[in-house]
Amino acid sequence: MGTISLVITVFAAFIFTSIQGIWVIPFLKKLKYGQTILEDGPTWHKAKQGTPTMGGIMFIFGSIIAAAAGYALFAANGGTPNNANTTQLVCGISMAVGFGIIGFLDDYIKVVKKRNLGLRAGQKMLLQLILGVVYIAVLAFTGNISTAVAIPFLGQLELGILYYPFALFIVVGVTNAVNLTDGIDGLCSSVTFVAALGFMIISAMLGNHEMNLMAAALAGATLGFLCWNFHPAKVFMGDTGSMFLGGMVVALSFGTKLQVFLLLIGIIYMMETLSVILQVASFKLTGKRIFKMSPIHHHFEMTGWSEVKIVTVFSLITALGCALAVAAVAVM
């Protein structure tokens, strides 16, 4: 029954997300919730001006409904849910929705209030820190925190009290890293789809059915969104979607207790973030830029790579990272 509920979760997430595009995209167009292209972005992105954004609401609803349906089906047909894992599932999805709401506020200010940068950096960071603290506190209060972290191929490392700032750094840092990956058609959704598949395999290996359902819902929903978001995109996910995806990836890492494994599964997220850090540091220290533009997907655009090529290569790199993570779990 576990396998059946898993398959149903994937297909439900895919169908419910993809079918929403039929009415959500025209609705966003009617509201004139179109993307405003930054002046310092690639000049050819100007052609995307006005493409509906905030489309992430499609996979937010799709993944939540699918995960709930899969869980209910599993429990109703003789499955035995694990209470700790169920807590991780509920808390994780709730946290991801919270990040989605922060992203929605950011998008709303951009497209409705016509302030291109959205929430101020300090406002966004404060909201993210509050949400991260609440998430970690709830996990700790319910006994779902382990202060030992798994290091790929090396074993466990006990952090003690240092685990809590580490955990907060993962929650906020990784969510923002996923957000940075949303810059060209289909990139963030494709990379996250592959990462979700990685977590599906890993959670199955660990016997964690609840995280298996969450990963399945995320995989199906991102694939459904790609029906509309792949180049040339008919809708963008906006910060509404990318922040939610970041929250889901973080929740899967906490639910499987494999936060450090995000260095492998989320290798593209890490590359995107590192490229921005290096670019800013280099320019401030030397006045020179390392990349033609950051995040790094824009660098490859500026060197002549097509958006489809970037998405394909970055997805394959993610698949390689996931394969290494699976191998690391196998020898744990």
Side-chain angles (χ1 to χ4, degrees):
M1 180 50 64
T3 302
I4 295 175
S5 64
L6 194 69
V7 172
I8 290 176
T9 299
V10 172
F11 277 99
F14 172 78
I15 292 170
F16 191 75
T17 300
S18 58
I19 201 171
Q20 284 181 78
I22 297 172
W23 62 82
V24 169
I25 295 174
F27 179 69
L28 292 173
K29 285 182 178 178
K30 185 177 180 180
L31 293 177
K32 301 188 186 310
Y33 283 5
Q35 179 72 39
T36 300
I37 304 301
L38 294 173
E39 292 295 332
D40 57 354
T43 55
W44 51 90
H45 280 202
K46 286 295 181 181
K48 303 181 182 186
Q49 185 88 18
T51 301
T53 188
M54 297 191 195
I57 58 176
M58 293 160 57
F59 56 69
I60 291 176
F61 285 117
S63 55
I64 292 173
I65 292 173
Y71 184 87
L73 182 66
F74 175 69
N77 287 276
T80 306
N82 179 287
N83 290 336
N85 293 340
T86 298
T87 300
Q88 291 278 6
L89 176 67
V90 174
C91 289
I93 292 179
S94 299
M95 178 266 291
V97 170
F99 275 111
I101 291 172
I102 295 173
F104 174 82
L105 292 174
D106 198 35
D107 285 334
Y108 182 84
I109 292 171
K110 290 176 185 175
V111 302
V112 178
K113 298 299 183 181
K114 305 300 181 185
R115 199 173 79 202
N116 199 30
L117 295 179
L119 285 170
R120 293 182 176 85
Q123 294 173 324
K124 187 184 292 187
M125 181 57 67
L126 178 61
L127 291 172
Q128 291 175 352
L129 287 172
I130 292 173
L131 182 56
V133 168
V134 171
Y135 172 64
I136 295 165
V138 171
L139 291 184
F141 181 76
T142 55
N144 284 283
I145 286 289
S146 171
T147 55
V149 297
I151 310 297
F153 301 108
L154 295 177
Q156 299 284 326
L157 176 64
E158 176 59 51
L159 294 182
I161 195 68
L162 293 177
Y163 173 84
Y164 296 96
F166 162 78
L168 184 59
F169 174 78
I170 293 294
V171 173
V172 176
V174 173
T175 301
N176 281 300
V178 176
N179 183 294
L180 284 174
T181 308
D182 180 35
I184 59 176
D185 297 358
L187 180 59
C188 189
S189 38
S190 294
V191 168
T192 304
F193 166 70
V194 177
L197 292 180
F199 273 116
M200 280 182 66
I201 296 170
I202 288 170
S203 54
M205 293 169 67
L206 296 174
N208 189 329
H209 187 67
E210 289 76 12
M211 289 301 102
N212 211 207
L213 284 173
M214 180 186 281
L218 181 60
T222 48
L223 188 61
F225 186 68
L226 274 167
C227 293
W228 304 97
N229 183 237
F230 197 76
H231 184 75
K234 297 177 178 63
V235 67
F236 299 138
M237 66 177 68
D239 283 2
T240 304
S242 60
M243 296 285 282
F244 173 81
L245 293 184
M248 289 288 278
V249 170
V250 165
L252 285 166
S253 74
F254 274 81
T256 55
K257 295 180 172 57
L258 298 174
Q259 296 94 328
V260 180
F261 279 61
L262 287 173
L263 291 172
L264 298 174
I265 298 170
I267 184 172
I268 290 297
Y269 307 140
M270 305 304 119
M271 285 172 52
E272 297 277 14
T273 303
L274 185 60
S275 70
V276 172
I277 294 172
L278 290 175
Q279 185 85 323
V280 172
S282 176
F283 187 74
K284 286 187 174 181
L285 293 173
T286 69
K288 297 180 180 179
R289 292 179 172 85
I290 299 174
F291 306 103
K292 292 179 180 293
M293 185 177 293
S294 66
I296 199 168
H297 57 260
H298 286 319
H299 169 81
F300 287 108
E301 269 195 290
M302 300 293 282
T303 60
W305 283 29
S306 69
E307 293 187 46
V308 173
K309 181 177 180 179
I310 295 169
V311 170
T312 302
V313 172
F314 280 30
S315 296
L316 289 173
I317 292 172
T318 302
L320 177 60
C322 288
L324 289 172
V326 169
V329 171
V331 299
M332 281 176 57

